[in-house]
Amino acid sequence: MQGFPWDLEVCQHYMESAIAQAEKAIRFGEVPVGCVIVDPSGIVAAAHNLRETLHDPTAHAEILALRDAARRKGTWYLSDCIAVATLEPCPMCAGALVNARIAGLVYGAPDPKAGACDTLFDIPGDGRLNHSFPVVAHVCEQRCARLLTDFFRQLRKTD
C-alpha cells in the first residue's frame, strides 16, 4: 500500500460499512454493491446500487456516494476523500472518481467484466488524465465476491 495513507486494518474497517451498504442493496432487489466516501473526520457519505429502483443506469453506488459527499461537503472537489467500494469500479465510476479528484480508492472484489481500476483498465493510474490516485485492491475480497455470487445464484433460481 505504498503511497496510501491507510493501513490494511483501517481499509477493512471502512470496507465493513461498504459491505453493509451492499447488503442493504439486496433488500431493494439491487445488485449488492456498496460504497462509502471517507474524509479525515470519518464517513461522509454511504450508498448502494439503485439502478433498478430509480430506473437510472448511472445510479451505481459510487456515483450516488460521490454526489452525496459533494453535496454534504459543499464542493465537487473531494481531494481529501477516499472511496471504499465492495466491487472494482466500472469505467463510468472510475471516471467520476477521477473527476472528483478523489485521494484514493479501496475496493473488495475485482470485476472481470467491467473493472476499470486494475482488471480491464487502469483509469486511476492513467497518466494521460488530469488526475490519478492510489488504489488498494482485494480488501475483504471473499466477502464482497460472495455477496455478488450468492445474489446472482439466487436470481437464477427464481427465473
Side-chain angles (χ1 to χ4, degrees):
M1 291 193 298
Q2 183 176 358
F4 203 78
W6 294 347
D7 63 19
L8 183 59
E9 187 175 308
V10 174
C11 292
Q12 290 170 332
H13 169 76
Y14 286 114
M15 185 60 76
E16 291 297 326
S17 296
I19 290 169
Q21 286 295 313
E23 290 169 340
K24 189 174 177 182
I26 295 170
R27 293 193 297 270
F28 285 84
E30 299 280 351
V31 174
V33 177
C35 180
V36 295
I37 306 294
V38 182
D39 75 4
S41 69
I43 295 174
V44 176
H48 56 81
N49 276 2
L50 284 173
R51 290 190 315 169
E52 301 298 329
T53 303
L54 298 177
H55 309 291
D56 180 352
T58 68
H60 290 203
E62 300 92 332
I63 299 295
L64 297 173
L66 283 171
R67 287 177 184 161
D68 193 33
R71 184 184 56 76
R72 289 173 186 258
K73 292 179 74 69
T75 181
W76 62 267
Y77 197 80
L78 302 177
S79 62
D80 66 338
C81 295
I82 292 175
V84 181
T86 58
L87 181 65
E88 179 182 4
C90 71
M92 175 183 69
C93 293
L97 293 169
V98 167
N99 283 315
R101 308 304 194 271
I102 204 91
L105 167 67
V106 176
Y107 76 82
D111 186 347
K113 294 184 178 182
C117 296
D118 287 320
T119 306
L120 297 178
F121 306 104
D122 182 16
I123 290 174
D126 191 325
R128 297 170 296 178
L129 299 174
N130 63 346
H131 178 68
S132 63
F133 51 86
V135 174
V136 175
H138 310 290
V139 174
C140 303
E141 177 180 358
Q142 289 181 337
R143 285 183 60 208
C144 294
R146 188 171 37 251
L147 281 170
L148 290 159
T149 302
D150 291 349
F151 176 81
F152 286 112
R153 183 177 294 128
Q154 185 62 37
L155 197 62
R156 284 190 296 276
K157 282 183 182 178
T158 60
D159 283 348

